[in-house]
Amino acid sequence: MQRLQSATTVARLGTAQTLAWASTYYLPAILAAPMARDMGISVAMVFAAFSCALVVSALLGPYAGRSIDRWGGRPVLMATSGVFALGLAALAMAQGPWSLFAAWVLLGVGMGSGLYEAAFAALVHLHGKNARNSITGITLIAGFASTVGWPLSMWMESQWGWRGACWAWAALHLVVGLPLNAWTPRKAVAEAAPVGTAAGAAAPVADAAPAHARRATLLLAFVFAATWFTSTAMAAHLPRLLQEGGATLATAVAVGALVGPAQVAGRLLEFGLLRHVHPLLSARLAALMHPLGAGLLAVAGAPVAAVFALFHGAGNGILTIAKGTLPLVLFGPAGYGHRQGVLMVPARIAQAAAPWLFGLCLDRLGAGALWVSAGLGVAAFLALLAVASPAAAGTRAREA
């Protein structure tokens, strides 16, 4: 019965997350151009407003996480549905730069308290150390947000214009997202023995070894920032990057379409085979996949562009789960939401800057810009090697 309830909760939260991501993070890719034309501004300004929303979400994340730690995910996620609806309504009524930025700031409030980090914290509040599989389940469902969101936004824009599309997304948050989040269970279940870690792994030792906990926090913050920078940079510039490497436009677009399915495949791999190993090991392997794909692309060129996209997508899919599971395994469920919010502040800021900074790299380096993202991937891998497992940290703490 408990397992059925957990699966139902994952399905509801995963669907609500799909709606949240599709109507915010993936919205500018389809609606930025018609927004800019209608308001007489540049497309770059629309994306600047979107970047502003990401910064707001970074700053708000720790406070939202602390609220979930205290009251659970249900009230926070329900409130977020209303904020998303209000922000999208404000966006639909925007007439110029000031109202555009104001609407995206409001959406940034929703993003800081209603995307993956909030859903992960809600699951940890419910299931404690047993939340790893539920976190993976959420990402499996919401991994189709762009697959659903982009065609739906395009269809709504063609039928009702971009303002009508924003109104429709706002309505969906009220009639679909709000009820789904309202069905989130209120009370946490009793904790059992830790699962989802390597056999025989010790319990997290953050309290017993605060120095190791601080070091692990700094390393994870860097890893999340580096990998989110690369993920966002590839989302914004992958077709252009592949063209710089010699691929045709048609090939670049077709290869780019492989990233989404590869992300889902990576998450299925995590849900199946990799859930039996420590999340540190799966995260280390995932961090290497983008650099390995980049190396193959540098050696063989455009003919292996599809392999690069598959490597990048699969690694990114697994790392999305690692962002939720690593803090849980390393530090435990106590204060998870607040810690998760703090860890993601640098990542959100890096995400906001990625399209602009990587675009500059492409302007100056061409296909050589890939070495920048590959270097970040290697650095993330080395940082993960430096993160001690709970058992190793506990041993060192006892020896000290």
Side-chain angles (χ1 to χ4, degrees), residues 88-145:
L88 286 160
L91 188 60
M93 295 185 290
Q95 299 298 323
W98 288 107
S99 52
L100 173 72
F101 273 80
W104 274 108
V105 165
L106 194 54
L107 286 169
V109 173
M111 293 165 73
S113 53
L115 293 183
Y116 273 152
E117 291 76 41
F120 295 165
L123 290 171
V124 171
H125 182 82
L126 290 170
H127 303 299
K129 298 168 187 175
N130 300 317
R132 181 179 180 180
N133 287 345
S134 296
I135 288 172
T136 303
I138 290 274
T139 64
L140 278 173
I141 297 171
F144 291 97

Side-chain angles (χ1 to χ4, degrees), residues 21 62 220 310 357 364:
W21 281 93
L220 285 186
L310 292 173
L357 288 178
R364 298 185 180 185

Side-chain angles (χ1 to χ4, degrees), residues 18-364:
T18 302
L19 172 60
W21 281 93
S23 60
T24 57
Y25 185 81
Y26 292 111
L27 195 69
I30 303 300
L31 299 187
M35 283 182 191
R37 285 195 303 268
D38 187 44
M39 287 187 276
I41 59 177
S42 67
V43 173
M45 183 171 290
V46 177
F47 278 98
F50 173 60
S51 294
C52 183
L54 293 174
V55 173
V56 171
S57 74
L59 299 177
L60 185 66
Y63 300 99
R66 182 178 292 159
S67 298
I68 293 174
D69 289 335
R70 180 175 301 176
W71 296 302
R74 178 176 175 170
V76 175
L77 291 173
M78 287 177 65
T80 299
S81 294
V83 174
F84 279 137
L86 191 59
L88 286 160
L91 188 60
M93 295 185 290
Q95 299 298 323
W98 288 107
S99 52
L100 173 72
F101 273 80
W104 274 108
V105 165
L106 194 54
L107 286 169
V109 173
M111 293 165 73
S113 53
L115 293 183
Y116 273 152
E117 291 76 41
F120 295 165
L123 290 171
V124 171
H125 182 82
L126 290 170
H127 303 299
K129 298 168 187 175
N130 300 317
R132 181 179 180 180
N133 287 345
S134 296
I135 288 172
T136 303
I138 290 274
T139 64
L140 278 173
I141 297 171
F144 291 97
S146 61
T147 305
V148 174
W150 282 341
L152 191 53
S153 287
M154 188 176 299
W155 179 82
M156 290 190 293
E157 194 276 331
S158 69
Q159 297 296 311
W160 310 313
W162 72 268
R163 295 183 189 274
C166 290
W167 282 115
W169 281 120
L172 285 172
H173 276 286
L174 295 178
V175 301
V176 177
L178 181 59
L180 288 172
N181 286 323
W183 280 327
T184 303
R186 291 177 181 270
K187 297 180 180 179
V189 299
E191 277 189 22
V195 299
T197 59
V205 293
D207 295 333
H212 291 297
R214 287 193 295 270
R215 182 168 179 266
T217 297
L218 292 174
L219 289 169
L220 285 186
F222 169 76
V223 170
F224 295 165
T227 53
W228 271 47
F229 178 94
T230 297
S231 174
T232 307
M234 292 299 107
H237 296 293
L238 182 57
R240 180 186 169 193
L241 175 66
L242 294 176
Q243 286 180 276
E244 293 283 354
T248 65
L249 175 59
T251 298
V253 171
V255 168
L258 296 175
V259 173
Q263 288 183 151
V264 174
R267 291 166 186 171
L268 287 171
L269 179 65
E270 162 68 22
F271 188 73
L273 178 64
L274 294 180
R275 68 175 173 174
H276 300 295
V277 304
H278 197 285
L280 266 175
L281 176 58
S282 58
R284 289 165 181 165
L285 294 173
L288 276 180
M289 296 188 78
H290 178 89
L292 286 174
L296 289 173
L297 188 63
V299 171
V304 296
V307 177
F308 165 72
L310 292 173
F311 272 51
H312 165 73
N316 190 55
I318 296 171
L319 285 168
T320 300
I321 299 171
K323 291 176 179 71
T325 57
L326 277 179
L328 175 61
V329 171
L330 293 175
F331 307 116
Y336 173 91
H338 179 253
R339 183 179 293 109
Q340 182 78 342
V342 170
L343 284 170
M344 293 307 296
V345 169
R348 292 286 189 189
I349 294 173
Q351 185 183 39
W356 174 63
L357 288 178
F358 197 77
L360 290 180
C361 292
L362 276 172
D363 291 340
R364 298 185 180 185

